[in-house]
Amino acid sequence: MKSSRIIIPAILSVLLTGCSIFGKYSGKAEVPDALYGGEVPAGAQDSSIAGIPWREFFQDTKLRDLIDTALSRNVDVAVARLRVKEAEAALLGSKLGFLPSLTLSPFISYGTAPSYQVPLSLSWDNQGLGGIINRKREAQARAEQTLEQEKAAQSRVVAAVADAYFQLILLDRQYRIIDTTELVWQTVLETQKALMENGKCYSTSVSQMESSLIDVKIRKADILNEIRNVERSLCILLGRTPGKIDRGGWTEYALSGSLKTGVPAQMLQRRPDVLSAAKAVEVAYYVNRQALCSMFPSLSLSGMLGWTSQGLSIKDPAQMVLTAVASLTQPIFARGQLRAGYKISGYQQEEAARVYAQTVLSAGNEVNRYLGDCQVAEEKDALYKSQVAILEESYDATRELMKNGKASYIEVLVSQNNLLNAQLSEAANVYSGITSLISLYISLGGGVD
């Protein structure tokens, strides 16, 4: 009795040596000042576009259907979901680390009479209480990290599908502009031919007009081929064979400047990659604690209950055997591996912390960039619309002057090309504004359910 009173407290005191191995991770996310590169817009503290579910952010029902299809079939999202299940299974296993193992090993031997042995063994190896606790916490952090990685994969797919969808709408718009231009230029060419027949212009002007019309047809064929290529790329995201993509028509999207970015804390609460990087630091912390635990003693308890008998019944209860063993193992020398492992895990924890800090900075840079792109697209939108209106008037006036012999075919060609380029640039700018808004939405943590 006296020896047990001494040994038990001694064992507990050794096992609990170093209370830091039982402490929970308490790292705090530090956000640099002016993370977005400037003042947060007024009202941003109250709301953020990232808080809008993607089914509400995208108003086009055909686009929403495509995103739903991609999320259910895309390989990257499916793999991310499987990794979540793997992490959950690992977490379940770590939660059962405190339970003992129970083994039943019946044995029959034959001699002059059959001999039956039915030992039932029970063992418990805590591998260090700190090790079990930290493994469980590590598994929990990894499970939470995989959830964020799944969200990140989902947001990437949402952004990729939306970008390809609006690219198709842009190409449709540009195709129609060129198709309309082709018809107009065909009419001009016929007029030029009539003037040549009446001796009012030279054949060189007709040749130039025909060359310009052929150039328009070539650009039209290029756009049609690009449409097919984008459709093929989108089909890969949708997990289906190449085919036509059902989509809406061109809409004059409003590129308003009332965007709200949300304060840095909001971004950290939503962006999956930032949250995943933060969880990586937490995982590294618990791995480091496990490495520290490996240098402390571990306690093992084992016991066996069983019997050996001749025949099918136990005639003598004294044959029952009960044994119990307790052992305390303290690593003394392991060729420096334990200490080296502890140092390495410490460096890995510092590495994860640096990666997290860089992820936060990159996130702020992305928000700054896409917000600026949205603002520039809005400013250019009004300028392009004004330019197109001016060039339309100029083109119509030049055509009338040519009919009256007061303008050359060169002036008409220049006017035609200027108008066509301005119309295509206006459409491209609207597309740029839309995709910048989508990128801003994703960079703030939007695009997840």
Side-chain angles (χ1 to χ4, degrees):
M1 287 296 293
K2 290 183 179 181
S3 60
S4 63
R5 292 176 182 177
I6 298 175
I7 293 174
I8 293 177
I11 292 175
L12 292 176
S13 64
V14 173
L15 289 175
L16 298 177
T17 299
C19 294
S20 61
I21 64 176
F22 297 98
K24 282 190 175 183
Y25 175 75
S26 59
K28 295 182 179 179
E30 296 182 1
V31 181
D33 294 334
L35 179 62
Y36 296 150
E39 295 295 332
V40 179
Q45 293 84 352
D46 302 324
S47 62
S48 169
I49 60 172
I52 304 174
W54 66 261
R55 287 182 176 83
E56 297 178 14
F57 182 79
F58 299 110
Q59 298 296 319
D60 193 321
T61 55
K62 293 181 179 179
L63 173 57
R64 290 203 295 262
D65 291 341
L66 290 174
I67 293 175
D68 271 326
T69 300
L71 292 178
S72 62
R73 298 182 180 180
N74 185 264
V75 174
D76 291 338
V77 176
V79 169
R81 287 171 180 163
L82 289 174
R83 287 174 179 168
V84 170
K85 293 181 179 180
E86 292 171 8
E88 290 174 346
L91 175 59
L92 178 60
S94 67
K95 288 182 177 179
L96 301 178
F98 288 100
L99 298 180
S101 60
L102 185 64
T103 305
L104 178 63
S105 305
F107 177 79
I108 303 175
S109 63
Y110 294 91
T112 55
S115 175
Y116 303 93
Q117 297 181 10
V118 189
L120 184 65
S121 62
L122 180 70
S123 64
W124 181 71
D125 183 0
N126 78 336
Q127 304 171 3
L129 291 175
I132 293 178
I133 292 173
N134 283 293
R135 269 189 292 277
K136 174 185 174 183
R137 291 172 179 172
E138 177 200 349
Q140 178 68 49
R142 287 190 186 276
E144 293 171 356
Q145 183 184 25
T146 55
L147 283 174
E148 297 304 328
Q149 291 171 346
E150 179 191 0
K151 292 178 183 178
Q154 176 181 325
S155 65
R156 287 194 297 269
V157 170
V158 169
V161 171
D163 182 82
Y165 182 83
F166 284 111
Q167 188 176 357
L168 286 174
I169 291 180
L170 166 67
L171 292 171
D172 289 343
R173 172 64 173 170
Q174 291 180 331
Y175 184 86
R176 284 192 292 271
I177 290 173
I178 291 183
D179 187 59
T180 302
T181 301
E182 180 186 0
L183 296 175
V184 173
W185 286 22
Q186 185 67 48
T187 302
V188 173
L189 177 60
E190 292 172 358
T191 301
Q192 197 72 358
K193 287 180 178 179
L195 291 174
M196 183 185 68
E197 292 174 357
N198 294 327
K200 294 184 178 180
C201 70
Y202 298 103
S203 60
T204 53
S205 65
V206 174
S207 299
Q208 289 289 342
M209 287 287 183
E210 288 178 336
S211 176
S212 297
L213 182 58
I214 291 174
D215 182 64
V216 169
K217 291 181 178 180
I218 292 173
R219 295 174 72 175
K220 183 178 176 181
D222 287 340
I223 290 179
L224 184 59
N225 185 58
E226 191 172 354
I227 288 174
R228 291 168 180 166
N229 288 336
V230 175
E231 285 181 326
R232 293 187 190 102
S233 299
L234 185 51
C235 285
I236 293 176
L237 290 171
L238 298 175
R240 75 180 210 192
T241 56
K244 186 72 175 177
I245 299 296
D246 186 25
R247 52 189 179 271
W250 179 263
T251 305
E252 293 296 331
Y253 293 93
L255 303 179
S256 65
S258 58
L259 299 175
K260 298 179 180 180
T261 64
V263 296
Q266 286 178 320
M267 187 186 74
L268 294 178
Q269 292 172 2
R270 297 183 184 278
R271 271 192 69 133
D273 60 337
V274 173
L275 294 175
S276 177
K279 286 298 176 182
V281 181
E282 185 176 350
V283 168
Y285 170 83
Y286 288 125
V287 171
N288 178 257
R289 297 298 90 185
Q290 291 175 56
L292 179 61
C293 290
S294 66
M295 294 187 289
F296 291 107
S298 62
L299 176 65
S300 298
L301 300 177
S302 62
M304 185 178 70
L305 174 65
W307 64 87
T308 301
S309 65
Q310 301 288 336
L312 297 177
S313 61
I314 302 176
K315 300 179 179 179
D316 185 1
Q319 292 179 339
M320 299 291 290
V321 178
L322 176 63
T323 62
V325 178
S327 64
L328 181 65
T329 304
Q330 166 67 51
I332 298 176
F333 181 69
R335 292 178 294 181
Q337 294 180 2
L338 297 179
R339 185 168 296 277
Y342 174 63
K343 288 183 177 180
I344 291 172
S345 63
Y347 296 142
Q348 291 173 341
Q349 182 181 349
E350 183 179 354
E351 178 184 342
R354 291 180 182 273
V355 170
Y356 169 75
Q358 184 60 43
T359 303
V360 172
L361 289 175
S362 298
N365 186 275
E366 286 183 6
V367 172
N368 179 276
R369 170 189 171 186
Y370 296 129
L371 181 60
D373 290 345
C374 288
Q375 293 170 343
V376 170
E378 178 192 358
E379 295 171 2
K380 291 167 63 176
D381 184 57
L383 296 175
Y384 275 123
K385 283 181 169 56
S386 177
Q387 184 183 43
V388 168
I390 292 172
L391 291 176
E392 285 176 344
E393 293 178 3
S394 175
Y395 173 65
D396 292 338
T398 304
R399 285 181 58 191
E400 291 298 322
L401 289 173
M402 187 186 70
K403 289 179 182 179
N404 297 325
K406 296 181 179 180
S408 66
Y409 71 94
I410 296 295
E411 292 175 293
V412 175
L413 287 176
V414 171
S415 181
Q416 286 174 336
N417 279 305
N418 289 341
L419 176 58
L420 175 61
N421 291 332
Q423 289 173 328
L424 295 177
S425 297
E426 179 195 11
N429 181 67
V430 174
Y431 166 75
S432 176
I434 293 172
T435 54
S436 295
L437 180 59
I438 294 172
S439 297
L440 178 64
Y441 174 65
I442 298 298
S443 69
L444 288 168
V448 297
D449 292 328

